[in-house]
Amino acid sequence: MTVLAHGVTASDANDDLTRDALAVLQPGFEGTAAPAWLLRQVGEGLTAVGLFGRNIASPEQLAALTAQLRAERDDVLVAIDEEGGDVTRLEVRGGSSFPGNLALGAVDDTALTRDVARELGRRLAECGVNLNWAPSADVNSNPDNPVIGVRSFGADTHLAARHTAAYVEGLQAAGVAACTKHFPGHGDTNVDSHHALPRIDVDLDTLAARELVPFRAAIEAGTKAVMSAHILVPALDPTRPATLSPQILTGLLRKELGYEGLIVTDGMEMNAIAGTYGIERGSVLAIAAGADAICVGGGLADEATVLRLRDALVAAVREGALPQERLADAAARVRALAAWTRQARAAAAPGAPLEGSAPGIGLEAARRAVVVSAAAAPVSAPYVATLAPVANIAVGDETPWGVAAELAALVPGTGSGVFPEGATAADVLAAAGERTVVAVVRDAHRHPWMAQALDALVAARPDTVVVEMGVPRAEPRGALYIATHGASRVCGRAAAEIIAGA
């Protein structure tokens, strides 16, 4: 057996290299219980696991799942994409009990944002989740942005910054690590990085004064993690997207902004990376650029993927394409965050709920976020027409949204229908008959067919009620116009209460 310096054998070094390669991965899996292969990899050095809607059936089941993982490794990081609002995994089948960032930004009460994030963190912690891929710190400066929108606190830089900081503080007060995203800022794009590589053509001064301000605030608030964006920013790096750019991750985030915590990539199977570099090469380049953890598993969720990425990282070290010190440093940062979450969990009394429980705060926040164009008179037996665009992948199609179910619970005789892209006012009117129409839309300004249908509806039926559940951009239409600033279940409830006169 070959003996290296300080009595370390080649076998030991290879074992350390393999464990480090496993430690930097954040894979997903199928099912509501941990498969044998996942438990085996956790036992061999895998330090983090990502959860998605497919893995969650109930809080009790989720708590059992995380306990199953911790039986293999007590400090395992269990990560989730739980932004609240439109992007929910905890309540993927019923809609979130919390409004999203745009609604919180519309209220502009940082104490409320902090309390909402703390309550969300409390629920995650009770289920055994200790890393949340949230909040979105993106400044939604491009109103046509197809992937951020209501996930942003707003288009105002300083508003986004103060609410990002409040969210980080609230979430981490519950013992759940925040992962502020999508660095260096995904707000000024009209391309969804799930499908292609967005390009943001702004100068350095604009980046510093707009995109970077919320991330500086998050770092000052102590965010434990930052997620990189799969975007090309030529002013910072003309050739590589942020996730793969040493100039952006090491030069800007580490050195210029002074960030010392964990850097996590966005999902590597997203087409902006997978379709250009491939996930193996992309993962090697990301770690070499300064990332510490590779998020993968939204679409690739099997042992073969984990082994492919592990082996790609090990081979890159052996071939000299990735310094072993860089991989070891990345793995150490992952383990340091895992240690922090274990300490945070131990600080809570075993089996007791965290202090500061505020179960009704989500609905309270949603009610405060609603903007109404006029005094509302109760509507009897309305017809709710949901004009439904195709949802982006981050939000997903499986989470229900709208006001139909909530209004039906308040107003007897409520009817409803869903009208997909291309539907017209005539389609809605034929279904509604003589009943008052409640037209529910999401980002009407981004969908010409939707805007045309609304205009025609209001012209034909001046008593039409319009509920905008996306980013409100158009002039108010109809006898009553309600902007909820998000499409979560509680936002639908808040709108329904106004329509019903409750």
Side-chain angles (χ1 to χ4, degrees):
M1 181 179 293
T2 302
V3 179
L4 305 179
H6 307 296
V8 177
T9 68
S11 176
D12 292 336
N14 288 335
D15 288 346
D16 288 344
L17 177 57
T18 300
R19 281 193 291 268
D20 286 348
L22 278 173
V24 303
L25 303 179
Q26 294 187 353
F29 61 96
E30 298 286 347
T32 55
W37 71 261
L38 183 64
L39 297 175
R40 182 170 58 252
Q41 293 302 326
V42 170
E44 292 181 3
L46 187 69
T47 310
V49 175
L51 299 181
F52 299 85
R54 62 178 181 249
N55 305 123
I56 299 169
S58 69
E60 295 76 17
Q61 167 270 323
L62 179 55
L65 168 59
T66 58
Q68 188 183 14
L69 291 166
R70 291 207 167 85
E72 290 293 329
R73 183 186 181 109
D74 185 53
D75 66 345
V76 67
L77 288 169
V78 182
I80 197 169
D81 195 0
E82 182 59 46
E83 299 176 14
D86 292 28
V87 180
T88 180
R89 307 295 179 242
L90 279 182
E91 300 179 276
V92 66
R93 293 167 184 83
S96 180
S97 300
F98 301 90
N101 285 3
L102 189 65
L104 295 172
V107 178
D108 195 13
D109 179 345
T110 53
L112 178 66
T113 295
R114 190 176 295 106
D115 289 345
V116 166
R118 179 181 173 85
E119 175 62 15
L120 179 58
R122 185 188 67 80
R123 296 190 191 186
L124 290 171
E126 286 186 342
C127 294
V129 177
N130 54 12
L131 172 60
N132 191 9
W133 294 320
S136 168
D138 308 294
V139 179
N140 199 55
S141 55
N142 186 339
D144 293 325
N145 195 318
V147 67
I148 302 300
V150 297
R151 301 168 65 197
S152 165
F153 289 109
D156 180 277
T157 298
H158 296 289
L159 178 145
R162 60 180 174 265
H163 286 277
T164 295
Y167 196 106
V168 167
E169 292 165 354
L171 191 63
Q172 293 186 170
V176 175
C179 182
T180 305
K181 61 188 183 184
H182 308 80
F183 187 82
H186 209 312
D188 190 15
T189 178
N190 58 5
V191 173
D192 185 342
S193 51
H194 290 90
H195 303 299
L197 179 62
R199 178 185 175 107
I200 297 182
D201 285 303
V202 296
D203 58 36
L204 291 174
D205 288 343
T206 300
L207 285 167
R210 188 178 66 189
E211 271 75 16
L212 298 183
V213 174
F215 289 97
R216 288 184 184 275
I219 292 169
E220 291 174 4
T223 186
K224 295 295 180 180
V226 169
M227 178 177 283
S228 66
H230 302 330
I231 55 174
L232 188 67
V233 188
L236 297 172
D237 187 331
T239 59
R240 287 189 179 177
T243 295
L244 312 183
S245 170
Q247 294 96 310
I248 295 174
L249 297 188
T250 299
L252 176 58
L253 182 53
R254 288 278 187 230
K255 296 180 179 178
E256 185 174 332
L257 300 187
Y259 176 64
E260 297 181 354
L262 190 76
I263 300 177
V264 183
T265 72
D266 206 345
M268 295 299 283
E269 70 271 35
M270 292 164 63
N271 208 44
I273 299 296
T276 307
Y277 296 88
I279 63 167
E280 292 96 334
R281 180 169 177 246
S283 296
V284 170
L285 291 173
I287 297 295
D292 305 305
I294 301 296
C295 176
V296 65
L300 300 170
D302 54 29
E303 187 173 23
T305 298
V306 172
L307 297 180
R308 281 166 54 201
L309 296 181
R310 180 202 67 184
D311 292 347
L313 291 166
V314 169
V317 169
R318 290 174 175 162
E319 294 164 3
L322 173 64
Q324 186 164 0
E325 296 78 8
R326 172 77 275 273
L327 180 61
D329 173 66
R333 290 182 191 275
V334 174
R335 294 175 187 128
L337 180 58
W340 178 87
T341 61
R342 180 170 55 186
Q343 292 166 1
R345 188 171 79 253
L354 295 174
E355 294 181 3
S357 176
I361 197 169
L363 181 56
E364 173 196 339
R367 287 168 173 159
R368 290 178 62 184
V370 170
V371 174
V372 182
S373 66
V379 176
S380 60
Y383 183 84
V384 180
T386 303
L387 306 184
V390 176
N392 71 61
I393 293 175
V395 172
D397 291 320
E398 67 270 40
T399 303
W401 66 280
V403 304
E406 298 295 336
L407 190 57
L410 297 174
V411 180
T414 296
S416 64
V418 176
F419 299 82
E421 184 168 353
T424 66
D427 298 325
V428 174
L429 292 172
E434 298 302 315
R435 290 179 286 183
T436 299
V437 174
V438 176
V440 184
V441 297
R442 208 171 184 175
D443 290 345
H445 67 281
R446 291 200 302 111
H447 304 283
W449 70 271
M450 194 182 295
Q452 291 167 10
L454 277 185
D455 288 339
L457 269 174
V458 171
R461 296 278 187 84
D463 63 343
T464 295
V465 175
V466 177
V467 183
E468 171 60 83
M469 303 195 79
V471 179
R473 293 283 299 176
E475 290 297 317
R477 299 172 167 94
L480 176 64
Y481 179 89
I482 302 170
T484 61
H485 301 93
S488 70
R489 178 175 55 80
V490 287
C491 291
R493 172 72 185 193
E497 290 174 347
I498 292 169
I499 297 166

